[in-house]
Amino acid sequence: MKRMLSGIKPTGQLTLGNYIGAIKQFISYQEEYEMFIFIADLHALTLPIDAKELRKNTRDLISVYLACGLDPDKVVLFKQSDVHEHAELGYIMACNSYMGELSRMTQYKDKTSKISDHGSIPTGIFIYPALMAADILLYDANYIPVGIDQKQHVELTRDLAIRFNNHYSETFIVPEPITPKTGAKVASLSNPEKKMSKSESEKGTIYLLEDLNITRKKIMSSVTDCDNEIKYDTEHKPGISNLLTILSSLTGKSIESLVENYQNVGYGTFKKDVADAVCKELGELQAKVLEIQSSNKIEEILEEGAKKASYYARKKLSKVYRKVGLN
Ligand code: ADP
Ligand code: TRP
């Protein structure tokens, strides 16, 4: 069975973009692959974050993973910081990467362009892709399901794996990124030229655990053009195309069939259907999250997951230590 691995950082509240671009994919693959899904909490430290908030986000993220249907009997579900080999291989990967390639990462450029005016750039955000490479390479993962914004980091991981294999002999599997056919990039509702993100505007972002009356309002007042025609055209109609993407990935209906159904229907009716679909899905999700958080299963599941993950990580790291001459 081929192996698949992915993770999400517990920074900020989870969004509909995370759900459609990442989590929904994980669920659909868990029967087909040997899956490793983790909470990338070390990555959450790359930009300043309050300890209390990090703890809360971590708990929310594991609850959402479980509420969405990730099954701990089928998937190795764990927290990155519980498996110390991530940080150790991350250091070795940093030693094998170049400043030039790291500074070309789009996410690094985006995130630092926002902070450079009024502060120093933390080193963690710069070497982040080396840690991400370690996350992947420790487990011999073949496929990495991610949203489009993370594809470049997986490509860098491939380069680092190939470089290491060439230098020290075959050690790592070279992984491939997998992006969803629909929903690889869910856009902001208030600024559909931009990605919906934890760190973007409140108005444009749907949070998975927010009050659904607010969700409905955000969708009904989302930015669209004014020609009142429902058509998929990301260049000229980014707002409507984004709503079509959302509706398609939640209902499983193709964009073409949705466009056909909504011929001669006004934007108001269309938006209401999108809001109904989103609120239904999130309502069910939120109920399950509450149930999980009031049980005391979370600690047990993470402990079990860390044990399983450590088994693989330990073996791989000791192989790497041997090759580089550390033992
Ligand atoms: P954010 O950009 O919201 O901080 P992360 O970088 O933590 O989110 O992303 C976690 C996962 O969710 C990644 O696989 C990422 O590609 C995916 N993802 C995040 N936002 C979106 C979006 N708007 N559309 C599709 N996928 C997304
Ligand atoms: N960098 C990813 C993000 O910001 C999270 C992540 C960390 C990840 N390590 C990973 C994703 C390994 C896939 C594989 O969303």
Side-chain angles (χ1 to χ4, degrees):
M1 212 187 225
K2 294 270 189 190
R3 209 169 268 178
M4 188 174 259
L5 172 141
S6 196
I8 297 182
K9 289 188 305 264
T11 46
Q13 302 177 50
L14 288 163
T15 71
L16 190 68
N18 297 135
Y19 181 67
I20 290 176
I23 304 173
K24 260 180 96 74
Q25 289 202 84
F26 304 166
I27 313 293
S28 70
Y29 288 126
Q30 67 180 341
E31 309 290 338
E32 230 177 299
Y33 295 95
E34 200 182 336
M35 292 275 275
F36 289 73
I37 299 292
F38 66 101
I39 298 167
D41 56 349
L42 293 175
H43 288 277
L45 298 178
T46 51
L47 290 174
I49 184 165
D50 178 63
K52 218 162 103 195
E53 191 194 334
L54 177 54
R55 271 188 209 105
K56 177 179 185 310
N57 293 344
T58 300
R59 196 174 158 76
D60 282 352
L61 180 52
I62 181 75
S63 314
V64 167
Y65 276 161
L66 293 167
C68 291
L70 277 182
D71 178 350
D73 290 330
K74 293 189 188 130
V75 178
V76 181
L77 257 181
F78 65 104
K79 193 160 70 118
Q80 185 188 25
S81 62
D82 282 341
V83 182
H84 58 79
E85 285 83 357
H86 286 250
E88 292 169 276
L89 185 61
Y91 173 72
I92 292 178
M93 285 296 130
C95 292
N96 280 282
S97 52
Y98 304 132
M99 307 260 290
E101 59 195 354
L102 293 180
S103 46
R104 279 194 295 276
M105 293 294 112
T106 310
Q107 198 179 53
Y108 168 73
K109 289 195 273 190
D110 281 357
K111 299 224 161 161
T112 53
S113 69
K114 284 180 202 151
I115 53 176
S116 51
D117 296 347
H118 50 85
S120 314
I121 297 169
T123 312
I125 190 75
F126 183 63
I127 59 164
Y128 169 117
L131 180 58
M132 178 157 163
D135 300 336
I136 296 170
L137 300 177
L138 272 178
Y139 300 96
D140 284 337
N142 305 92
Y143 300 112
I144 316 299
V146 281
I148 233 148
D149 59 315
Q150 291 295 327
K151 207 171 156 208
Q152 197 187 23
H153 291 156
V154 181
E155 273 151 13
L156 177 75
T157 303
R158 291 172 60 84
D159 293 344
L160 296 181
I162 293 168
R163 186 177 306 156
F164 192 99
N165 287 348
N166 287 341
H167 191 108
Y168 295 103
S169 82
E170 208 58 28
T171 309
F172 296 125
I173 299 275
V174 180
E176 277 175 48
I178 297 195
T179 48
K181 284 186 204 76
T182 311
K185 186 173 172 191
V186 178
S188 157
L189 297 178
S190 55
N191 182 359
E193 315 279 331
K194 287 182 82 174
K195 183 184 107 150
M196 179 185 286
S197 163
K198 292 165 187 155
S199 47
E200 279 309 319
S201 90
E202 292 263 327
K203 248 180 37 205
T205 304
I206 293 176
Y207 299 104
L208 295 183
L209 304 180
E210 75 187 1
D211 178 338
L212 296 178
N213 292 319
I214 298 179
T215 307
R216 186 170 289 279
K217 270 193 205 132
K218 286 180 185 170
I219 295 172
M220 294 311 290
S221 56
S222 62
V223 170
T224 52
D225 51 81
C226 44
D227 70 6
N228 229 18
E229 187 192 2
I230 294 169
K231 210 169 83 179
Y232 189 79
D233 176 349
T234 47
E235 195 185 332
H236 301 105
K237 301 171 78 71
I240 289 295
S241 304
N242 188 39
L243 294 177
L244 279 166
T245 299
I246 293 173
L247 191 57
S248 162
S249 57
L250 296 188
T251 58
K253 292 182 185 151
S254 69
I255 291 195
E256 297 76 46
S257 75
L258 288 173
V259 168
E260 216 177 289
N261 285 349
Y262 285 102
Q263 286 310 301
N264 309 318
V265 173
Y267 284 178
T269 313
F270 172 59
K271 282 181 171 177
K272 186 179 166 296
D273 286 358
V274 176
D276 286 346
V278 173
C279 291
K280 178 169 178 288
E281 186 114 351
L282 296 193
E284 288 166 10
L285 179 75
Q286 292 178 0
K288 288 194 198 132
V289 164
L290 277 182
E291 200 181 303
I292 288 160
Q293 294 197 335
S294 57
S295 76
N296 43 19
K297 283 196 213 130
I298 294 179
E299 279 68 30
E300 203 181 301
I301 288 170
L302 286 180
E303 217 172 284
E304 196 53 37
K307 254 191 233 156
K308 289 187 199 154
S310 296
Y311 167 79
Y312 297 95
R314 201 177 320 128
K315 273 206 331 209
K316 182 60 81 179
L317 188 72
S318 101
K319 190 169 181 185
V320 170
Y321 271 22
R322 233 175 18 248
K323 300 230 173 167
V324 302
L326 290 177
N327 69 5

